[in-house]
């Protein structure tokens, strides 16, 4: 067994009382520190205080100590051990130190898991949380955001949310009205963290097809061809985005084509919804700037166009 002690610190040019007030809003709906939507929000089963149980994503913990405006300690539950803590230390009238500490006793397996996977993710998330502390406490001040390592990016892709198959939702009115008797319908859904766009138009790049109709919380894309017609609905509700596919076949050519495509269509639809979700999350405005009504930040690197893939079940063109 070894004791892991992981420390991240950031000096903030703001009074400790101002930064401590940000600490007191952890897990609130307007939490300015949680680096959502790229990372899962910190959520508890009750307001922040000793005994509050919750966590972020698959990491679970309970509030073991809470000194308002000063320190929060989060205790890992059995059979895990240890804790992580956020604390603010005054350095003068207009300066303070924000510190995140993680301590845990680890066996050989846990040590390897930390070194290969958990550590890079943890370090990246904590640095982005500290970025948010600076943004919130010193609005308008220059900030060089923390950079993601290649390993952290790959690991984040491996553990981040993915679209999963669901029954076509009854509330997807545009999809249900597209065809009176569709020959194929399916759907997939992905959850939305705080800060993700709730305007369906922001999701139109999920598939490269023209917009056919819009509603308050739904957008309908599609294309017609001689052998089949295709519609894709993107519905935003209940903190989730749902992609519904509706297909109408016209002739033998269409039925033969779809007999092949439908085998890998569900996988491709989930892949493209997941890809769009990741792109929008990375481009989202950080929490402190969302509260201030700032314009969205530029993406850290240019996102590539979503390719026009027939595997999604849509015709590549009328000549197909």
């Amino acid at each position: 067994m070894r004791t892991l002690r992981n420390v991240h610190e950031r000096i903030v040019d703001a009074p400790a009382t101002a930064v401590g007030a940000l600490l007191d809003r952890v897990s609130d709906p307007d939490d300015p520190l949680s680096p959502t939507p790229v990372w899962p929000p910190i959520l508890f089963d009750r307001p922040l205080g000793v005994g509050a149980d919750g966590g972020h994503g698959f990491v679970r913990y309970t509030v073991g100590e809470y000194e308002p405006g000063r320190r929060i300690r989060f205790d890992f539950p059995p059979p895990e051990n240890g804790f992580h803590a956020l604390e603010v230390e005054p350095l003068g009238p207009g300066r303070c130190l924000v510190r995140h500490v993680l301590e845990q006793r680890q066996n050989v397996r846990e040590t390897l898991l930390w070194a290969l996977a958990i550590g890079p993710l943890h370090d990246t998330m904590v640095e982005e949380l500290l970025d948010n502390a600076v943004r919130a406490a010193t609005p308008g001040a220059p900030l060089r955001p923390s950079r993601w390592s290649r390993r952290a990016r790959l690991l984040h892709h491996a553990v981040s949310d993915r679209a999963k198959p669901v029954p076509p939702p009854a509330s997807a009115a545009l999809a249900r009205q597209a065809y009176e008797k569709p020959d194929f319908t399916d759907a997939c859904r992905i959850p939305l963290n705080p800060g993700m766009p709730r305007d369906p138009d922001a999701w139109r790049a999920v598939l490269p097809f023209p917009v056919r109709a819009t509603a308050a919380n739904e957008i309908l894309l599609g294309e017609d061809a001689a052998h089949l017609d295709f519609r894709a609905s993107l519905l935003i509700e209940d903190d989730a985005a749902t992609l519904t596919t509706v297909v109408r076949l016209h002739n033998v050519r269409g039925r033969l084509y779809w007999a092949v495509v439908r085998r890998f269509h569900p996988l491709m639809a989930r892949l493209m919804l997941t890809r769009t979700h990741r792109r929008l999350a990375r481009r989202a405005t950080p929490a402190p700037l969302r509260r201030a009504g700032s314009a969205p930040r530029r993406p850290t690197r240019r996102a590539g166009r979503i390719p026009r893939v027939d595997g999604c079940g849509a015709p590549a063109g009328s000549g197909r």
Side-chain angles (χ1 to χ4, degrees):
M1 298 286 288
R2 69 143 189 174
T3 298
L4 169 71
R5 181 175 171 83
N6 178 279
V7 180
H8 292 255
E9 296 179 333
R10 190 77 60 88
I11 294 176
V12 183
D13 292 321
T17 53
V19 179
L22 302 175
L23 207 66
D24 295 336
R25 291 161 58 189
V26 165
S27 80
D28 283 357
D30 66 342
D31 180 353
L33 297 183
S34 292
T36 60
V38 174
W39 303 94
I42 299 173
L43 299 173
F44 292 114
D45 60 353
R46 69 195 77 172
L48 181 63
V50 175
D53 184 66
H56 60 273
F58 60 83
V59 182
R60 315 312 296 167
Y61 41 79
T62 300
V63 177
E65 294 180 5
Y66 176 41
E67 301 175 43
R70 174 69 180 84
R71 185 173 186 267
I72 311 172
R73 192 191 75 200
F74 309 96
D75 295 335
F76 297 122
E80 299 180 32
N81 57 84
F83 68 90
H84 66 110
L86 268 171
E87 50 195 33
V88 179
E89 178 182 323
L91 297 179
R95 214 173 191 216
C96 65
L97 179 74
V98 183
R99 179 185 296 115
H100 182 280
V101 179
L102 184 147
E103 285 194 9
Q104 186 179 36
R105 292 280 291 170
Q106 295 182 339
N107 57 30
V108 174
R109 184 186 67 83
E110 292 167 336
T111 298
L112 290 174
L113 185 61
W114 173 268
L116 296 176
I118 303 300
L121 291 172
H122 166 84
D123 291 343
T124 304
M125 178 178 175
V126 171
E127 286 298 316
E128 293 213 330
L129 183 148
L130 296 178
D131 285 348
N132 279 348
V134 175
R135 290 188 181 100
T138 59
L143 170 69
R144 178 176 293 179
S146 56
R147 296 178 62 87
W148 287 50
S149 68
R150 186 183 296 268
R151 181 189 295 184
R153 192 178 299 277
L154 291 174
L155 290 169
H156 185 266
H157 281 188
V159 302
S160 58
D161 288 326
R162 285 176 167 75
K164 297 180 179 180
V166 295
S171 52
L174 296 182
R176 291 184 172 274
Q177 296 167 7
Y179 307 124
E180 184 177 353
K181 293 182 179 180
D183 294 290
F184 176 86
T185 304
D186 78 343
C188 57
R189 176 176 297 171
I190 193 166
L192 303 181
N193 287 332
M196 291 291 289
R198 262 59 177 181
D199 181 357
D201 190 61
W203 294 76
R204 62 188 300 174
V206 67
L207 289 171
F209 297 106
V211 176
R212 296 289 181 162
T214 60
N217 63 339
E218 185 181 8
I219 188 170
L220 188 70
L221 311 172
E223 190 169 289
D224 297 336
H227 58 305
L228 62 81
D229 297 338
F230 166 85
R231 296 291 183 269
S233 151
L234 204 294
L235 176 72
I236 307 296
E237 67 172 2
D238 300 330
D239 289 327
T242 305
L243 177 64
T244 303
T245 302
V246 185
V247 177
R248 181 173 61 184
L249 306 176
H250 294 320
N251 47 37
V252 173
R253 179 186 171 198
R255 288 192 288 273
L256 291 175
Y257 169 78
W258 190 248
V260 175
V261 170
R262 69 179 300 166
R263 295 179 180 275
F264 51 90
H265 157 78
L267 174 62
M268 293 302 299
R270 296 196 298 271
L271 176 63
M272 298 185 86
L273 181 58
T274 300
R275 182 186 299 178
T276 302
H277 179 276
R278 288 174 180 165
R279 177 192 300 178
L280 293 176
R282 290 293 294 163
R283 295 180 62 181
T285 305
L289 302 186
R290 292 198 299 268
R291 312 309 173 209
S294 174
R297 68 177 176 181
R298 297 177 64 85
T300 54
R301 64 177 183 176
R302 187 175 180 181
R305 293 184 59 190
I306 295 180
R308 192 184 182 97
V309 180
D310 282 357
C312 263
S318 58
R320 181 71 180 263

